[in-house]
């Protein structure tokens, strides 16, 4: 039975990207509805009256909010190509690392809104603190290609969406964050991840993201 799936979101949002990659990896047909951050459609306020934000998945007319809840729902409704571990303990660990990936947002936002080198240094150090934990805790088995082993799982998607935004900040602010010398295993993981065909085909364009980020910074900070 064909079902109707719609995704409301922002093309540059790591949270929207997390849901988009999940749908693409599952091979689920969906309608992508691009929202305007500064002028969101009335549906956003109807579907998510509490937080009034994206992404929102609408499945057969029923809305779901919050990216982690959405991706877990997708994995349960469409069990083919599972992205969450089957084992209960491993599944709980995956949820922990998804939360840890989401926690990077505050540091990434600090860097995106930094107005001087001192603020940039502090923000980058906060991002490094997160990356050091992942480097030490998640890749102690140096043979692992992805977080889950040989195949992509939901933790890869969660971190991948954040790292994509970090790479844009590197270009915009002319700084280096994902240094190979500091994080060799994390660096290799991201190269493996971004070159998976479905991920590569659905990565936001770097130049387009860079232009949008510069525009947003000017809008929020004022042009220098």
């Amino acid at each position: 039975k064909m079902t109707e799936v719609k995704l409301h979101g922002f093309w540059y949002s790591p949270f929207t990207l997390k849901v988009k990659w999940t749908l693409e990896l599952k091979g689920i047909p969906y309608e992508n509805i691009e929202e305007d951050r500064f002028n969101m459609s009335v549906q956003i306020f109807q579907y998510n009256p509490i937080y009034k934000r994206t992404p929102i998945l609408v499945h057969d007319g029923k809305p779901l909010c919050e990216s982690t809840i959405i991706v877990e729902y997708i994995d349960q409704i469409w069990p083919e190509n599972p992205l969450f571990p089957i084992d209960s303990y491993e599944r709980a660990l995956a949820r922990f690392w998804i939360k840890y990936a989401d926690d990077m947002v505050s540091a990434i936002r600090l860097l995106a809104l930094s107005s001087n080198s001192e603020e940039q240094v502090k923000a980058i150090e906060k991002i490094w603190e997160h990356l050091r934990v992942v480097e030490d805790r998640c890749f102690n088995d140096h043979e692992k290609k992805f977080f889950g082993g040989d195949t992509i799982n939901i933790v890869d998607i969660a971190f991948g969406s954040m790292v994509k935004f970090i790479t844009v900040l590197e270009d915009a602010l002319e700084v280096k964050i994902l240094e190979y010398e500091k994080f060799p295993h994390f660096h290799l993981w991201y190269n493996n991840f971004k070159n998976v065909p479905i991920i590569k085909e659905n990565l936001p364009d770097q130049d387009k993201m860079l232009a949008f980020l510069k525009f947003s910074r000017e809008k929020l900070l004022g042009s220098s």
Side-chain angles (χ1 to χ4, degrees), residues 84 88 96 111 114 124 148 222:
F84 276 87
S88 297
F96 174 87
L111 183 57
S114 61
I124 290 171

Side-chain angles (χ1 to χ4, degrees), residues 179-192:
E179 297 182 16
Y180 179 81
E181 294 76 12
K182 287 183 182 293
F183 314 105
H185 300 107
F186 190 87
H187 196 277
L188 289 173
W189 159 78
Y190 186 61
N191 282 338
N192 291 332

Side-chain angles (χ1 to χ4, degrees), residues 6 17 24 30 47 117 139 146 180 183 195 205:
K6 297 180 180 180
L17 190 56
E24 295 288 345
Y30 66 99
Y47 292 147
S117 59
F139 293 102
F146 301 107
Y180 179 81
F183 314 105
N195 286 315
D205 181 77

Side-chain angles (χ1 to χ4, degrees), residues 1 9 12 33 44 50 66 74 95 102 105 130 135 145 155 165 190 199 211 215 217:
K1 178 180 179 293
Y12 49 84
I33 301 173
I44 299 302
I50 297 172
E66 300 302 301
I74 292 170
R95 289 195 186 103
D102 290 351
V105 169
H130 279 269
E135 177 80 13
K145 189 175 181 182
V155 181
F165 204 87
Y190 186 61
I199 300 299
F215 166 78
R217 277 175 54 83

